[in-house]
């Protein structure tokens, strides 16, 4: 009698090793799911892009995820969020072109931006500008300039150069459009909505000292959330599925016995 009841409990999903494993799966799933969300909230901040100055990298109204960083982690080519009272009281988003000690000039004979005398292949910019406005020059910038970036400062440009109010708009001011490293609060790592995608690191800066930044842990966090949700669903489904299979098996056994 006891053996028969144990067998039934094992088959209908109310006991046995299967229930133990399903409970463990649910517990691990919840830990991964909640842990991924909490981890993401600690590392990333959401930000809505207010203007078209970073087209085509991000569009006005795009929701992006920006990894919280400090100035020491900024690298060439990063798309950063910063707040500088000279520019605006609101957070702004631009691309880092020059770091302390760099000389940034525009333009060379081919209309390219140069960094320390070397032309940049800026695949991320809207080029030529004439394709967007009908009046652009096709150069990396319609504003001619040459600046040397002081230590602890950044030279920032938008990707849609024809309309971006960036460091070039402040060249005649005392700081020549430079922004302190300490004003940076985050680096854009991915678009979250409406077109989710990771932001690529521009290879044109890869050979410079310090190279380009590495992506944050967003992919790992998303994987943890998705895996956690899958484990919770599978673990929770085990009991009902086992009971259905158990009842089906017993009906087949009874039908076989009568036959």
């Amino acid at each position: 009698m006891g053996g028969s009841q144990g067998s039934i409990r094992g088959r209908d999903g109310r006991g046995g090793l299967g229930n133990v494993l399903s409970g463990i799966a649910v517990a691990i799933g919840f830990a991964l799911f909640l842990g991924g969300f909490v981890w993401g909230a600690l590392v990333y901040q959401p930000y809505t892009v207010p203007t078209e100055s970073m087209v085509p990298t991000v569009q006005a109204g795009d929701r992006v995820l920006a990894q919280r960083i400090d100035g020491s982690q900024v690298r060439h080519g990063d798309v950063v969020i910063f707040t500088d009272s000279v520019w605006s009281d609101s957070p702004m988003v631009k691309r880092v072109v020059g770091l302390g000690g760099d000389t940034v000039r525009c333009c060379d004979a081919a209309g390219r931006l140069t960094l320390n005398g070397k032309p940049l292949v800026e695949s991320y910019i809207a080029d030529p500008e004439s394709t967007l406005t009908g009046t652009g020059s096709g150069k990396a910038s319609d504003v001619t300039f040459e600046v040397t970036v002081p230590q602890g400062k950044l030279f920032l440009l938008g990707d849609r150069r024809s309309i971006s109010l960036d460091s070039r708009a402040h060249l005649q001011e005392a700081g020549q459009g430079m922004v302190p490293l300490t004003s940076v609060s985050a680096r854009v790592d991915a678009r979250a909505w409406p077109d989710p995608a990771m932001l690529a690191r521009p290879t044109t800066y890869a050979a410079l000292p310090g190279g380009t930044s590495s992506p944050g842990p967003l992919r790992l966090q998303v994987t943890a959330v998705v895996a956690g949700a899958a484990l919770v669903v599978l673990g929770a489904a085990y009991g009902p599925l086992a009971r259905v299979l158990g009842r089906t098996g017993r009906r087949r056994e009874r039908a076989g016995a009568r036959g």
Side-chain angles (χ1 to χ4, degrees), residues 134-153:
T135 58
S137 64
K139 296 180 180 180
S141 171
D142 288 336
V143 178
T144 300
F145 62 89
E146 181 172 352
V147 295
T148 298
V149 185
Q151 293 298 326
K153 302 283 188 176

Side-chain angles (χ1 to χ4, degrees), residues 27-242:
I28 293 174
F30 269 120
L32 286 173
F33 186 80
L34 295 177
F37 269 113
V38 172
W39 185 16
L42 292 174
V43 174
Y44 287 95
Q45 68 180 63
Y47 178 77
T48 300
V49 179
T51 71
E52 295 183 345
S53 67
M54 287 301 294
V55 171
T57 303
V58 288
Q59 307 286 331
D62 279 1
R63 193 73 167 169
V64 299
L65 292 176
Q67 183 182 5
R68 291 181 171 89
I69 62 170
D70 58 38
S72 66
Q73 297 170 278
V74 175
R75 298 290 183 270
H76 289 101
D78 285 347
V79 176
V80 297
I81 294 173
F82 65 97
T83 305
D84 186 273
S85 59
V86 175
W87 293 43
S88 171
D89 291 329
S90 302
M92 301 184 71
V93 56
K94 302 293 179 189
R95 188 180 296 277
V96 176
V97 174
L99 295 171
D102 288 336
T103 296
V104 186
R105 187 178 76 86
C106 197
C107 299
D108 67 3
R112 297 170 297 186
L113 201 69
T114 67
L115 183 61
N116 302 325
K118 296 182 179 179
L120 296 177
V121 180
E122 298 184 281
S123 58
Y124 48 79
I125 69 171
D127 181 40
E129 292 294 334
S130 56
T131 64
L132 292 169
T133 65
T135 58
S137 64
K139 296 180 180 180
S141 171
D142 288 336
V143 178
T144 300
F145 62 89
E146 181 172 352
V147 295
T148 298
V149 185
Q151 293 298 326
K153 302 283 188 176
L154 300 171
F155 191 80
L156 303 161
L157 296 177
D159 288 355
R160 188 172 180 179
R161 303 278 164 78
S162 63
I163 65 170
S164 178
L165 295 176
D166 44 41
S167 287
R168 297 168 302 165
H170 302 276
L171 287 171
Q172 304 308 314
E173 298 170 4
Q176 286 190 292
M178 310 300 173
V179 172
L181 280 170
T182 53
S183 68
V184 174
S185 61
R187 173 173 52 226
V188 177
D189 210 17
R191 292 191 303 271
W193 185 90
D195 182 25
M198 298 292 292
L199 259 63
R201 268 52 178 181
T203 56
T204 192
Y205 299 100
L208 295 173
T212 54
S213 61
S214 300
L218 183 60
R219 282 196 175 98
L220 185 57
Q221 292 164 353
V222 171
T223 299
V225 170
V226 172
L231 283 173
V232 169
V233 171
L234 292 174
Y238 170 79
L241 181 60

